[in-house]
């Protein structure tokens, strides 16, 4: 059995209360990114899975009350949509981190078309989200912001969001 020491916790931030918000179009790779990077450490809050805002609010409240790290795996396309998660997370003492999946509507539509039929969204939804997509900004309450792109050949490239350093 592997023993986790206090030093390990500092390195891996095991005890840190963290709220992660994904911002991006449908079929941008957000759920795959969650599975690769956060599955073992953060609860996933996803409206597609939960189906109602009431269920989503209950799960969010449980994470905040229990000081449980979580990821909001939704499009979160506007500052107003993101505020429903950021404000309560900050009020509860969570560190808030954003991952902005840089918009590529045509590529997202192609990935969406390759999904199984029961997981596809209408192409119009992707292009509609692209029209109203607002890039995240530190002023919204983010402690850190990153840009995410799909790497050629698979995987993800994560870099500090250029607007984060200038506005912080």
């Amino acid at each position: 059995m592997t023993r986790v020491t206090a030093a390990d916790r500092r390195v891996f931030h095991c005890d840190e209360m963290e709220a992660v918000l994904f911002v991006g179009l449908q079929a941008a790779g957000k759920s795959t990114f969650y599975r690769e990077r956060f599955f073992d450490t953060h609860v996933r809050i996803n409206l597609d899975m939960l189906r109602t805002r009431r269920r989503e609010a209950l799960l969010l409240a449980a994470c905040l009350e229990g000081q449980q790290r979580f990821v909001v795996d939704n499009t979160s396309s506007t500052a107003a949509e993101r505020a429903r998660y950021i404000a309560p997370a900050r009020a509860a003492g969570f560190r808030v981190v954003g991952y902005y999946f840089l918009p590529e509507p045509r590529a997202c539509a192609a990935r969406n078309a390759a999904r199984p039929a029961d997981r596809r969204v209408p192409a119009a939804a992707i292009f509609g989200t692209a029209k109203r997509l607002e890039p995240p900004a530190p002023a919204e309450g983010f402690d850190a912001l990153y840009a995410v792109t799909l790497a050629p050949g698979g995987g993800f490239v994560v870099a500090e969001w250029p607007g984060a350093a200038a506005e912080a």
Side-chain angles (χ1 to χ4, degrees):
M1 173 152 75
T2 304
R3 189 166 163 230
V4 178
T5 67
D8 293 330
R9 284 190 193 94
R10 282 192 300 276
V11 170
F12 296 111
H13 306 289
C14 291
D15 296 327
E16 185 173 43
M17 295 185 313
E18 182 178 65
V20 175
L21 273 77
F22 291 168
V23 178
L25 304 178
Q26 301 90 329
K30 298 181 303 296
S31 295
T32 300
F33 189 78
Y34 168 81
R35 282 190 298 276
E36 288 183 8
R37 308 270 175 121
F38 296 102
F39 180 82
D40 292 327
T41 59
H42 292 63
V43 168
R44 179 176 177 236
I45 297 176
N46 176 267
L47 195 54
D48 291 339
M49 178 181 67
L50 296 169
R51 300 279 184 218
T52 70
R53 288 285 181 195
R54 181 181 178 283
R55 289 177 181 162
E56 181 189 58
L58 286 169
L59 185 53
L60 175 62
C63 288
L64 296 172
E65 179 69 25
Q67 299 180 344
Q68 170 61 51
R69 290 173 288 176
F70 63 91
V71 171
V72 177
D73 178 8
N74 293 333
T75 59
S76 302
S77 58
T78 67
E81 290 172 10
R82 296 186 288 269
R84 81 168 44 118
Y85 311 106
I86 294 172
R90 291 195 63 81
F94 280 67
R95 177 175 186 261
V96 179
V97 179
Y99 287 86
Y100 181 40
F101 291 74
L102 298 179
E104 299 179 23
R106 284 187 170 77
C108 289
R111 280 192 297 281
N112 181 58
R115 287 176 166 175
D118 64 334
R119 293 195 50 236
R120 287 185 206 139
V121 298
I126 294 170
F127 292 100
T129 301
K131 287 180 183 177
R132 69 177 185 277
L133 185 64
E134 298 172 6
E140 294 177 48
F142 289 103
D143 294 299
L145 275 171
Y146 300 95
V148 181
T149 55
L150 293 174
F156 298 92
V157 177
V158 178
E160 186 173 325
W161 174 235
E167 298 178 39

